Amino acid sequence: MAWNFLGADYLLHLIIMIGIYVMVSASLNLMIGYTGMLNLGHVGFFGIGAYTSVLLTHPVYGLGLPFSVGLLGGAAMALLGGYFIGIPSLKLRGDYLAIATLGFGEIMRAVFKNWQSLTRGPLGIPAIPKATIFGYTLATKESMAMVVIVATLICLIVLWKIIHSPFGRTLKAIREDEIAAISLGKEVRRYKMTALCISACIAGIAGVFYAHYISFIDPTTFSFSESVIFVCMVILGGMGSFWGSVLGAIVIILLPQPLRFLGFHADIVGALRQILFAAILITMMLWKPQGLISEETITEEKETKEKAAESGTA
Amino acid sequence: MTSILLEVKNLRKEFGGVIAVKDCSFNVKENQIIALIGPNGAGKTTMFNMITGYIQPTKGKIIYQEKEITRYAPQKRVKIGFSRTFQQVKIFQNMTILENMLVAMKNNEVPWATIFSPQKVKVQEEENTAKAKELLKMVKLEGKENKLAKNLSYGQQKLLEIVRAVAVECTLLLLDEPAAGVNLTMLKTIKELLLTLKKKGLTILFIEHNMEFVMDIADTVVVMDYGEEIAVGTPKEIRKNKRVIEAYLGT
Ligand SMILES: Nc1ncnc2c1ncn2[C@@H]1O[C@H](COP(=O)(O)OP(=O)(O)OP(=O)(O)O)[C@@H](O)[C@H]1O
Ligand SMILES: [Mg+2]
């Protein structure tokens, strides 16, 4: 019975979900891991991307525009959302920023729920059109998976380039010591704002793909517990570790899958998932706070490699 | 003829009821090494923080190159030629020594620099790396470029912070107790570094408790006590000054 799940369709579903969550987790890592800004409302940007695109593209509940417009619109609105939340909250430090972003996530959910004339509120928006690319509709899971993989790779390459640029290095410096970064002339607020906007934009793109893949969204999709899962991916993988955040997303998607094979009812699976993630978070904090792939092991590796090279030439 | 680079005029700072700096004035002449000395709690660090823009003075003026800069943000002061270190070492612990240096140096810092002009960034990066290595060599930190900064000894961390401040292209270098907790060999290294920098045209203002160090390299000494400057002069004059002996130097 359970083996039905392991068909090609199921594997493609996992690939698509992993792609979407990798975008979320890698973008969130830019904020939490590299810049040291705890963001507990990342789902807000994910939701803005999803709702914007759906409202732009839906033939019945929206404007019926092409998917490419939805994608660009979703990314742009999420970025703008990042900018507007950044103006007041980047004046705040540490824990306060976390609270402010948490509030932002909840406000967005309230907007999705209460602006009923636009979003249909708790009813949600069903029958979201499939994504199209260059006029070709991604009706099959295969084609959708291909496009999501490409989109994820593009996002990862962009993030990689940003992190490994002088700008990315300054973000790390800000995480390490804000005052010292200021003493080197860095306009810390501007750097944080830029990181926030990039992060929000990529989360928005992930939200667009999510909506057009799942084909139904409602406010409960974008609740605080989803933000917690996002943070969970970053912490599990390793804050400030590029491949860590990718691994974190993969593990978080795959780990609860066996629950389905065990034949639990969907409601129970949902609850069990939450418990599982909470357990992961606590275990990681106690056992390996630096995550599965810690930033340090990467640097140490570099060092030992160099030492090996040195002794090799000596 | 040496002109005045920085003028501090009647600066005052109150923290609630505490008067950290009461009324302090002095000048910093171009291309000199000036030491700011005085007992613990005299208000030296507070002066530094006002000069570099980290705290706003309650009263008074700061004039740099004939322009009033009292309300400038710290970053804006860096742009016009300031660079500083802190009494408590502030380095980027989980970054390598080379990264610490490179953050201080100029390169294209837009996020997409490595996407749209990778070649330019790379060339600049190589230039900066070479320059960083040269500076690190001056404080005997060469060969450790890829070590994490937190793995350095305390003294080495201090040296790193100093050369990192030098890596910011500056006119006025401000060092808060550069010699504290540093051994004798390193002390000599710092002395030589500061004298080299002076030769290159920098102006250096530093706070220090180590009198031998101060007397060795300072052109001018400013003595503070209870938030006021009580004496300004050459090391020789300061050593003979009665008020300074009473307040600080002892017999
Ligand atoms: N943020 C602050 N709030 C309240 N009081 C402060 C603050 N900063 C400094 N002070 C007080 O101001 C006075 C001067 O302190 P400051 O750090 O400037 O002294 P200092 O001359 O640098 O001393 P040291 O040689 O020990 O470093 C001290 O009495 C200190 O307690
Ligand atoms: Mg002090």
Side-chain angles (χ1 to χ4, degrees):
Chain A
M1 238 280 287
W3 293 103
N4 287 343
F5 284 108
L6 281 182
D9 249 23
Y10 178 64
L11 283 179
L12 288 169
H13 168 73
L14 287 182
I15 287 171
I16 294 167
M17 293 307 283
I18 285 172
I20 290 168
Y21 275 70
V22 163
M23 285 189 245
V24 171
S25 149
S27 66
L28 186 57
N29 194 23
L30 182 70
M31 277 187 79
I32 299 184
Y34 288 96
T35 325
M37 297 188 279
L38 183 50
N39 172 356
L40 293 178
H42 210 44
V43 76
F45 305 120
F46 187 71
I48 291 178
Y51 266 99
T52 305
S53 179
V54 169
L55 291 173
L56 285 172
T57 57
H58 205 291
V60 182
Y61 306 115
L63 301 176
L65 295 168
F67 173 75
S68 54
V69 178
L71 181 60
L72 287 177
M77 283 302 281
L79 191 149
L80 271 181
Y83 184 73
F84 283 115
I85 181 67
I87 292 171
S89 62
L90 288 184
K91 287 187 186 145
L92 309 172
R93 281 167 162 262
D95 306 341
Y96 298 106
L97 177 70
I99 305 283
T101 50
L102 191 158
F104 162 73
E106 284 302 283
I107 288 169
M108 284 325 298
R109 192 170 62 99
V111 170
F112 302 148
K113 195 170 160 192
N114 295 312
W115 195 348
Q116 301 200 0
S117 56
L118 194 68
T119 65
R120 287 172 38 96
L123 293 177
I125 305 178
I128 296 167
K130 294 269 173 244
T132 55
I133 212 115
F134 305 125
Y136 174 76
T137 305
L138 307 177
T140 63
K141 276 210 169 99
E142 282 89 351
S143 55
M144 185 65 184
M146 286 295 285
V147 170
V148 168
I149 288 172
V150 170
T152 308
L153 284 178
I154 292 173
C155 287
L156 283 180
I157 291 169
V158 167
L159 281 171
W160 174 271
K161 289 276 181 188
I162 289 173
I163 288 161
H164 296 90
S165 72
F167 171 82
R169 186 168 49 218
T170 300
L171 291 186
K172 260 165 96 180
I174 289 168
R175 174 195 72 190
E176 289 298 307
D177 196 320
E178 222 174 297
I179 304 218
I182 290 172
S183 81
L184 302 177
K186 308 297 177 190
E187 301 282 349
V188 169
R189 275 255 280 292
R190 215 183 60 217
Y191 281 85
K192 284 183 169 179
M193 180 63 105
T194 311
L196 169 59
C197 287
I198 293 168
S199 177
C201 178
I202 294 177
I205 291 172
V208 172
F209 280 106
Y210 177 86
H212 289 269
Y213 171 61
I214 299 289
S215 79
F216 173 77
I217 53 169
D218 72 350
T220 59
T221 318
F222 308 105
S223 62
F224 173 61
S225 63
E226 202 67 12
S227 276
V228 174
I229 293 172
F230 293 172
V231 173
C232 218
M233 297 191 290
V234 175
I235 292 177
L236 175 70
M239 286 185 267
S241 147
F242 189 83
W243 298 113
S245 63
V246 174
L247 181 65
I250 295 174
V251 172
I252 290 285
I253 292 290
L254 293 184
L255 213 58
Q257 296 304 325
L259 292 177
R260 299 192 185 196
F261 303 147
L262 297 176
F264 287 115
H265 188 267
D267 289 348
I268 299 177
V269 171
L272 282 177
R273 240 176 107 218
Q274 302 281 346
I275 294 171
L276 192 64
F277 293 148
I280 289 174
L281 211 50
I282 293 168
T283 318
M284 288 310 286
M285 284 303 177
L286 292 175
W287 168 66
K288 215 167 184 283
Q290 69 276 41
L292 293 174
I293 306 177
S294 67
E295 189 183 4
E296 191 156 304
T297 52
I298 299 166
T299 326
E300 272 165 10
E301 250 169 40
K302 213 166 44 179
E303 246 178 73
T304 39
K305 252 188 222 156
E306 251 160 46
K307 261 186 209 143
E310 264 170 38
S311 54
T313 51
Chain B
M1 194 200 110
T2 46
S3 59
I4 290 167
L5 182 68
L6 180 82
E7 249 179 291
V8 178
K9 276 189 178 170
N10 307 103
L11 276 194
R12 181 185 179 88
K13 181 67 195 180
E14 296 167 16
F15 292 107
V18 184
I19 301 170
V21 172
K22 209 190 278 168
D23 177 16
C24 188
S25 309
F26 62 85
N27 293 340
V28 174
K29 283 191 192 140
E30 225 162 62
N31 202 211
Q32 275 207 337
I33 298 183
I34 289 104
L36 187 55
I37 66 171
N40 291 118
K44 306 180 294 296
T45 297
T46 307
M47 274 302 286
F48 246 50
N49 286 338
M50 287 192 282
I51 294 173
T52 50
Y54 282 78
I55 55 179
Q56 285 295 322
T58 313
K59 250 190 218 155
K61 267 186 192 167
I62 304 163
I63 292 155
Y64 175 75
Q65 289 175 336
E66 291 164 6
K67 221 170 45 216
E68 191 185 335
I69 58 156
T70 317
R71 305 273 154 204
Y72 277 30
Q75 293 99 325
K76 199 167 171 195
R77 293 183 211 221
V78 175
K79 279 204 189 84
I80 58 172
F82 284 56
S83 186
R84 73 167 289 181
T85 65
F86 297 85
Q87 188 167 352
Q88 252 98 34
V89 183
K90 284 193 180 296
I91 53 171
F92 309 122
Q93 300 278 350
N94 290 304
M95 294 169 75
T96 66
I97 289 161
L98 183 61
E99 282 176 314
N100 264 272
M101 296 297 289
L102 292 176
V103 172
M105 300 168 135
K106 284 203 182 74
N107 202 335
N108 185 350
E109 293 220 5
V110 296
W112 40 88
T114 41
I115 299 174
F116 295 118
S117 51
Q119 203 49 39
K120 259 192 203 156
V121 173
K122 203 176 148 218
V123 169
Q124 185 65 53
E125 194 85 346
E126 275 159 11
E127 223 171 86
N128 288 352
T129 304
K131 212 172 110 197
K133 283 188 176 168
E134 229 169 81
L135 281 170
L136 288 171
K137 207 167 169 185
M138 288 169 92
V139 291
K140 309 204 162 53
L141 283 175
E142 75 266 32
K144 295 190 171 63
E145 289 86 3
N146 292 312
K147 254 196 167 39
L148 288 184
K150 68 175 173 195
N151 294 334
L152 292 177
S153 73
Y154 177 78
Q156 288 174 322
Q157 294 189 2
K158 274 217 96 118
L159 292 175
L160 173 60
E161 198 197 12
I162 294 169
V163 281
R164 191 185 63 188
V166 174
V168 179
E169 275 162 26
C170 65
T171 316
L172 176 62
L173 182 64
L174 301 108
L175 309 170
D176 196 343
E177 303 200 13
V182 163
N183 75 28
L184 283 177
T185 342
M186 286 188 189
L187 210 63
K188 226 179 123 214
T189 312
I190 298 178
K191 259 187 222 172
E192 280 161 15
L193 174 69
L194 297 190
L195 291 172
T196 315
L197 292 172
K198 186 190 164 188
K199 257 189 219 135
K200 285 189 179 164
L202 257 67
T203 308
I204 302 166
L205 174 62
F206 72 98
I207 298 174
E208 192 45 68
H209 285 294
N210 183 328
M211 273 312 117
E212 207 193 306
F213 183 88
V214 170
M215 297 301 171
D216 263 9
I217 66 164
D219 300 305
T220 306
V221 180
V222 177
V223 190
M224 278 184 78
D225 194 21
Y226 292 109
E228 283 176 303
E229 88 288 352
I230 56 168
V232 180
T234 63
K236 253 192 201 155
E237 293 164 359
I238 293 299
R239 231 194 295 245
K240 281 185 262 168
N241 186 306
K242 268 214 186 91
R243 246 186 110 184
V244 177
I245 294 171
E246 256 168 45
Y248 187 49
L249 295 178
T251 38

